[in-house]
Amino acid sequence: VLSKDKEIIGVLGIGHDITEQRKAEKELEQKTLKLDELNKSLNLAQKLGNIASWQWNMESDKKVWSDQMYRIYGVEKDTFYPSNKNISELIYPEDLSKVEQGLAQLMNDEPFVPQEFRIQRPSGEIRDLLSVSFERLDKNIFFGVTKDITEQKKREQEKLESTLNFKKTKRELQESQKTAQIGSWALNP
């Protein structure tokens, strides 16, 4: 405070208690860190399980994909928008009608049945996927889980081929034994 002669004759101060504001900011910061940790854990779990999640607003055709969904489809989050048109272009042509029928059933509130289908990544690689689950969250919003089962399908095919090869070898051995008029036996103590 200044006098008429411009001399300091006092000090005036105004204070405002911001304790609650600081406490709220700190709490928000802690919750944000916890949410980030949970999101990282979810992303890691999806990556390790080769499973992904997505959400679709049917009215706006807006989709939100997990990071793993982009990896499964072999596309980049920054350059690929998951519209119905863009996704349909990646679904293997022979499987597209089956996927569309599954979506139509979901939209008509019919029970969901897990469904296998194939996609062709932009690189040309074909992947086998399984729609594990769909759920209608409200009138226009759906949530789904998709699993990449390509490696599982390869192992199943290898096992089938191995079994068929074994049966063929066994038949050939039996024919050879019959032709040579010899036999074999096994001892199982």
Side-chain angles (χ1 to χ4, degrees), residues 54-113:
W54 53 268
Q55 187 169 314
W56 173 41
N57 183 322
M58 184 175 67
E59 191 172 68
S60 67
D61 194 26
K62 182 180 180 197
K63 292 184 185 66
V64 178
W65 277 12
S66 68
D67 292 346
Q68 185 62 20
M69 194 71 162
Y70 288 96
R71 281 191 284 275
I72 287 173
Y73 273 75
V75 294
E76 296 294 323
K77 192 175 195 175
D78 298 335
T79 58
F80 181 82
Y81 179 72
S83 67
N84 280 344
K85 180 183 180 293
N86 290 342
I87 295 169
S88 293
E89 289 173 357
L90 294 176
I91 295 174
Y92 204 69
E94 294 171 18
D95 296 348
L96 184 57
S97 65
K98 176 171 57 171
V99 171
E100 289 172 342
Q101 286 174 350
L103 281 174
Q105 290 173 330
L106 182 65
M107 287 188 263
N108 292 326
D109 291 324
E110 295 177 30
F112 171 76
V113 177

Side-chain angles (χ1 to χ4, degrees), residues 132-148:
V132 178
S133 175
F134 283 129
E135 187 170 321
R136 188 176 214 146
L137 300 179
D138 73 18
K139 181 182 173 192
N140 293 313
I141 299 178
F142 298 89
F143 181 83
V145 176
T146 302
K147 180 166 180 57
D148 185 337

Side-chain angles (χ1 to χ4, degrees), residues 3-175:
S3 68
K4 291 181 184 180
D5 298 329
K6 305 287 184 204
E7 291 182 29
I8 298 175
I9 58 171
V11 177
L12 177 65
I14 299 174
H16 181 67
D17 185 359
I18 60 169
T19 305
E20 292 302 315
Q21 180 183 344
R22 292 283 186 214
K23 192 189 292 185
E25 288 172 358
K26 186 75 170 169
E27 191 175 305
L28 180 60
E29 184 180 315
Q30 289 174 343
K31 287 181 179 180
T32 301
L33 287 172
K34 183 69 173 172
L35 186 59
D36 286 345
E37 288 175 25
L38 289 172
N39 193 39
K40 286 177 185 175
S41 293
L42 175 62
N43 282 334
L44 181 58
Q46 286 190 0
K47 184 177 179 181
L48 292 174
N50 215 4
I51 195 162
S53 59
W54 53 268
Q55 187 169 314
W56 173 41
N57 183 322
M58 184 175 67
E59 191 172 68
S60 67
D61 194 26
K62 182 180 180 197
K63 292 184 185 66
V64 178
W65 277 12
S66 68
D67 292 346
Q68 185 62 20
M69 194 71 162
Y70 288 96
R71 281 191 284 275
I72 287 173
Y73 273 75
V75 294
E76 296 294 323
K77 192 175 195 175
D78 298 335
T79 58
F80 181 82
Y81 179 72
S83 67
N84 280 344
K85 180 183 180 293
N86 290 342
I87 295 169
S88 293
E89 289 173 357
L90 294 176
I91 295 174
Y92 204 69
E94 294 171 18
D95 296 348
L96 184 57
S97 65
K98 176 171 57 171
V99 171
E100 289 172 342
Q101 286 174 350
L103 281 174
Q105 290 173 330
L106 182 65
M107 287 188 263
N108 292 326
D109 291 324
E110 295 177 30
F112 171 76
V113 177
Q115 181 179 80
E116 290 184 19
F117 65 99
R118 294 166 293 173
I119 60 165
Q120 185 168 6
R121 289 177 168 177
S123 68
E125 180 184 11
I126 295 173
R127 305 295 292 180
D128 292 283
L129 305 184
L130 173 65
S131 292
V132 178
S133 175
F134 283 129
E135 187 170 321
R136 188 176 214 146
L137 300 179
D138 73 18
K139 181 182 173 192
N140 293 313
I141 299 178
F142 298 89
F143 181 83
V145 176
T146 302
K147 180 166 180 57
D148 185 337
I149 58 169
T150 305
E151 295 308 313
Q152 176 185 335
K153 296 289 274 187
K154 283 180 184 176
R155 284 191 302 275
E156 288 172 2
Q157 183 62 32
E158 288 168 359
K159 184 178 178 182
L160 176 63
E161 288 172 5
S162 177
T163 301
L164 293 174
N165 194 20
F166 174 75
K167 287 179 180 180
K168 179 182 174 201
T169 302
K170 186 177 177 182
R171 272 194 316 277
E172 289 172 350
L173 176 61
Q174 289 170 343
E175 285 296 318

